[in-house]
Amino acid sequence: GKSGLDLDEAVRTTSQKLIQATQKNQTLADEMIMKTMVKAGHKVRDQWEKHHIRKLDTLTTIRKVKGFRQKQKTLLAGRQECVFNILEAFVSAVGMGDDINAIIRTCPAPRDGESELACQVNGAILGAWVGNLATKLALATSNCALSINVDAICSAGITGLVSGLGEIAAGASLGAATCTGTPPQ
């Protein structure tokens, strides 16, 4: 008897303590899970607000961004202008080669009236090509540099006039020959 009752009582008491400890641990576990879920919820909410709710920029920030973009566009435009200047200079060099070939074929003596006219036009156009090549190289010198080169721009203006005078001379040769009553013989 008596020791069996003590043993039953001890088992019951120990079981009660284990159940209470388990319930206490379950309560602690539940509280920890709830705290973690709340904390994670705050983090998720903060992250969502950070990435999905747009805050308007200040006027100063907007002006800085616009200024930065404008500088980028200006730099890109300068590079493109540089590339076009070099390409046009190359086209002028090819045109000079083609015109020199034409001069070799039309200008040797003896020349008749048509060959004389062709020689004059080809010579004047060669002057236009040389002026255009010099103009484009001068512009490339300024546009490809980090800063504006005023001397190169001045040179481009002068050589541009030379190119224009070459074209005027070619037009004058054609006009003189074709606008008279009798074409060249």
Side-chain angles (χ1 to χ4, degrees), residues 75-112:
L75 184 63
L76 183 61
R79 285 186 196 143
Q80 291 170 345
E81 198 168 3
C82 169
V83 169
F84 278 113
N85 292 148
I86 293 169
L87 180 63
E88 288 174 327
F90 176 75
V91 168
S92 295
V94 170
M96 281 176 44
D98 185 45
D99 204 49
I100 289 170
N101 186 36
I103 289 171
I104 290 170
R105 295 176 189 274
T106 58
C107 292
R111 292 189 292 265
D112 61 359

Side-chain angles (χ1 to χ4, degrees), residues 20-62:
Q20 287 175 352
T22 304
Q23 286 177 345
K24 186 178 179 183
N25 285 341
Q26 184 64 42
T27 304
L28 287 174
D30 288 345
E31 286 176 5
M32 185 180 292
I33 289 171
M34 285 304 291
K35 284 181 183 177
T36 305
M37 288 174 63
V38 167
K39 196 178 248 187
H42 288 299
K43 284 183 181 177
V44 168
R45 184 192 68 213
D46 291 344
Q47 192 174 25
W48 187 85
E49 286 177 353
K50 189 176 184 180
H51 295 288
H52 295 290
I53 296 177
R54 181 158 186 241
K55 294 182 176 129
L56 295 176
D57 294 325
T58 64
L59 188 58
T60 306
T61 305
I62 292 170

Side-chain angles (χ1 to χ4, degrees), residues 1-10:
K2 191 173 183 183
S3 65
L5 284 176
D6 288 340
L7 186 60
D8 284 340
E9 185 63 31

Side-chain angles (χ1 to χ4, degrees), residues 147-169:
S147 61
I148 293 175
N149 185 334
V150 177
D151 292 335
I153 294 173
C154 175
S155 173
I158 294 168
T159 55
L161 288 173
V162 170
S163 176
L165 288 174
E167 291 181 32
I168 289 172

